[in-house]
Amino acid sequence: FTADLTKYDEKQQAVVKKAVESGILNNTNRTHEFVDMVAKISADKGVSFDFTNNQKLKESGLAVEGKTVNGYVKDGTIAVNIDSNKSLNSVVGHEITHTLEGTELYTELQQAVKEYATTKGEYDTRLNELSELYEDMENANVENELTADLVGDYLFTDKDFINNLSTKKPNIFKRIYD
């Protein structure tokens, strides 16, 4: 991955520089679009991003045997695993949702996404799946993980969710959009 840092504003440059220095990203248009999106989010929200892969996770001791770590938040930095089987946009949405935990927006968003997933018949099934996935992990908050998964998935792939949120919960929608 290569990039001309002069094409980015100062706040975006840190993320793009990390992408270049990671040595694990390819130089396709799709990767450039992804890094550009992450750089804009970082600059807008003041959240730092880093890029990792399965090998780096293993070397750092953050890999979980038999499970894919799609991303994580550590010390205020969101790391995205580019080897994830999930859409990287969904991983970013998931991890950003974790940074909202403990806020009023998070509580409102958690309720809205739970209501939507329940109406789609997905909530209980996905909660059970995640409960099994996290059963051996100490201090795992399965409901927060489910909220982050649903937000990450729905915000980037489900037009009905966006329409539902914008009409039924316009305050939440506007705050996320902003």
Side-chain angles (χ1 to χ4, degrees):
F1 181 81
T2 61
D4 179 0
L5 292 178
T6 63
K7 293 183 178 181
Y8 298 90
D9 72 32
E10 190 175 328
K11 289 182 177 181
Q12 295 174 347
Q13 287 180 5
V15 169
V16 177
K17 189 174 180 183
K18 283 184 179 181
V20 170
E21 291 173 351
S22 74
I24 58 174
L25 296 171
N26 62 33
N27 205 35
T28 63
N29 285 337
R30 190 172 179 180
T31 300
H32 277 272
E33 290 170 1
F34 174 70
V35 171
D36 288 352
M37 178 196 72
V38 170
K40 288 174 185 173
I41 292 170
S42 176
D44 187 48
K45 297 301 173 197
V47 177
S48 179
F49 281 86
D50 205 352
F51 305 91
T52 191
N53 62 13
N54 289 336
Q55 182 62 37
K56 285 185 173 191
L57 286 167
K58 190 173 185 178
E59 291 168 3
S60 67
L62 293 171
V64 178
E65 189 66 36
K67 298 177 183 175
T68 300
V69 175
N70 298 311
Y72 60 88
V73 179
K74 184 178 179 186
D75 301 328
T77 297
I78 294 173
V80 178
N81 180 2
I82 63 154
D83 290 337
S84 173
N85 293 328
K86 290 193 84 164
S87 152
L88 295 180
N89 290 349
S90 292
V91 174
V92 169
H94 174 108
E95 299 305 336
I96 285 177
T97 301
H98 283 308
T99 69
L100 298 173
E101 290 174 9
T103 66
E104 182 182 327
L105 175 59
Y106 179 81
T107 303
E108 293 173 23
L109 182 59
Q110 186 175 42
Q111 186 59 39
V113 78
K114 181 178 182 178
E115 289 171 10
Y116 183 77
T118 300
T119 63
K120 287 186 73 167
E122 293 182 359
Y123 189 83
D124 290 334
T125 302
R126 289 183 72 168
L127 182 62
N128 291 336
E129 289 170 357
L130 280 178
S131 295
E132 288 178 27
L133 180 67
Y134 285 96
E135 70 184 346
D136 296 330
M137 299 182 102
E138 198 173 306
N139 300 322
N141 185 322
V142 177
E143 285 194 25
N144 286 1
E145 287 300 324
L146 179 55
T147 297
D149 269 1
L150 293 171
V151 170
D153 292 348
Y154 291 164
L155 277 180
F156 292 102
T157 63
D158 192 325
K159 290 179 185 177
D160 290 337
F161 174 71
I162 299 299
N163 289 335
N164 184 330
L165 195 61
S166 68
T167 57
K168 293 184 178 179
K169 308 279 187 183
N171 292 338
I172 298 171
F173 175 79
K174 177 146 177 43
R175 287 163 53 195
I176 291 170
Y177 180 80
D178 288 346

